[in-house]
Amino acid sequence: MNYPTITLWSDSCFFSPYAMSVYVALTEKGIPFTLKRVDLSQNAQWDEEYRALSLTCRVPTLQIDDVLLTESSAIAEYLEERFPAPEFERLYPRDREKRAHAREVQAWLRSDLMALRSERPTEVLFAGERFAPLTPAGEQAANKLIAAVQRLLPDGQQNLFGEWSIADTDLAVMINRLALHGDALPVKLQHYAEFQWQRASVQLWLAESGKTR
């Protein structure tokens, strides 16, 4: 098969959960791509060359031939349409309503739980760092996450919607901010996050992150 030329720009440390989401999506689709780094610590996202590529001057940015996209959930939806099942792995559930809920989860995780993201940053996930106990705001966000996942995840299931979707990876990232830090979690959530973290595409990303240390 003749694939288009695809380039993914990630942060140089591979700490971005959003770049990770796109990396996992591309890997699950089985699409060859080139990975390039943007050194955010040196403000390389503001360099003229990268600003010409990225609408938002953030990571990730994806280029497929002449198409440039930023924002990870928009990229995942584009990949799903451009490289559809059954020839390529699905990123979203087959069922229409379940697809809507998967997108709902993605949108929520990107727009909420700010205190949790601040107090349990991705250094927990990718560098094993430890931080102070959660503040009341952090605990409130954690409890909101836990309650939502308890509602969303059926007992005895390892994926949210009966089959893997990119929303599972995104949700596991958020849960693992707590789980990998040693914060208290219901066993069901711990097992879910552990299972999702072992997915081959996720492990490949973790290997890339590990190379930077």
Side-chain angles (χ1 to χ4, degrees), residues 15 115-135 177 180-183:
F15 279 13
L116 178 56
R117 285 192 270 166
S118 174
E119 296 177 30
R120 295 293 180 266
T122 51
E123 284 80 0
V124 170
L125 302 168
F126 306 123
E129 293 188 18
R130 292 293 179 266
F131 295 86
L134 292 171
T135 65
R177 291 174 186 268
L180 296 178
H181 195 271
D183 296 298

Side-chain angles (χ1 to χ4, degrees), residues 20-194:
M20 174 183 170
S21 185
V22 175
Y23 180 98
V24 167
L26 287 165
T27 304
E28 292 287 343
K29 287 286 186 186
I31 308 166
F33 63 97
T34 299
L35 192 59
K36 292 189 177 181
R37 303 181 182 194
V38 181
D39 191 347
L40 303 183
S41 68
Q42 298 298 317
N43 293 318
Q45 71 271 31
W46 298 111
D47 291 349
E48 184 176 351
E49 182 180 0
Y50 190 69
R51 289 171 63 188
L53 295 169
S54 176
L55 178 69
T56 61
C57 300
R58 301 194 297 182
V59 295
T61 294
L62 186 75
Q63 182 171 16
I64 301 184
D65 290 335
D66 295 329
V67 177
L68 287 162
L69 279 175
T70 58
E71 299 304 314
S72 56
S73 58
I75 292 171
E77 292 189 29
Y78 177 73
L79 292 174
E80 187 77 327
E81 292 186 17
R82 178 136 185 194
F83 304 99
E87 186 175 2
F88 299 91
E89 179 76 18
R90 292 181 185 276
L91 300 179
Y92 292 94
R94 292 174 177 82
D95 179 79
R96 180 180 60 190
E97 280 66 38
K98 289 180 179 179
R99 284 199 303 276
H101 284 302
R103 292 182 175 115
E104 176 187 36
V105 169
Q106 286 188 294
W108 173 53
L109 294 174
R110 286 159 172 74
S111 62
D112 198 0
L113 308 174
M114 303 300 182
L116 178 56
R117 285 192 270 166
S118 174
E119 296 177 30
R120 295 293 180 266
T122 51
E123 284 80 0
V124 170
L125 302 168
F126 306 123
E129 293 188 18
R130 292 293 179 266
F131 295 86
L134 292 171
T135 65
E139 288 185 359
Q140 183 179 50
N143 289 335
K144 183 178 183 179
L145 172 67
I146 290 167
V149 180
Q150 294 278 40
R151 287 180 56 186
L152 284 168
L153 183 63
D155 290 339
Q157 277 194 195
Q158 295 174 313
N159 300 307
L160 287 174
F161 306 110
E163 58 184 313
W164 177 85
S165 77
I166 192 64
D168 285 299
T169 296
D170 291 347
L171 183 57
V173 166
M174 191 63 75
I175 296 171
N176 270 329
R177 291 174 186 268
L178 296 167
L180 296 178
H181 195 271
D183 296 298
L185 279 173
V187 172
K188 183 170 81 168
L189 271 67
Q190 292 179 3
H191 289 172
Y192 169 79
E194 288 170 3

Side-chain angles (χ1 to χ4, degrees), residues 13-15 126 205-213:
C13 292
F14 297 95
F15 279 13
F126 306 123
W205 171 268
L206 295 176
E208 292 288 352
S209 179
K211 292 175 186 176
T212 66
R213 298 187 300 281

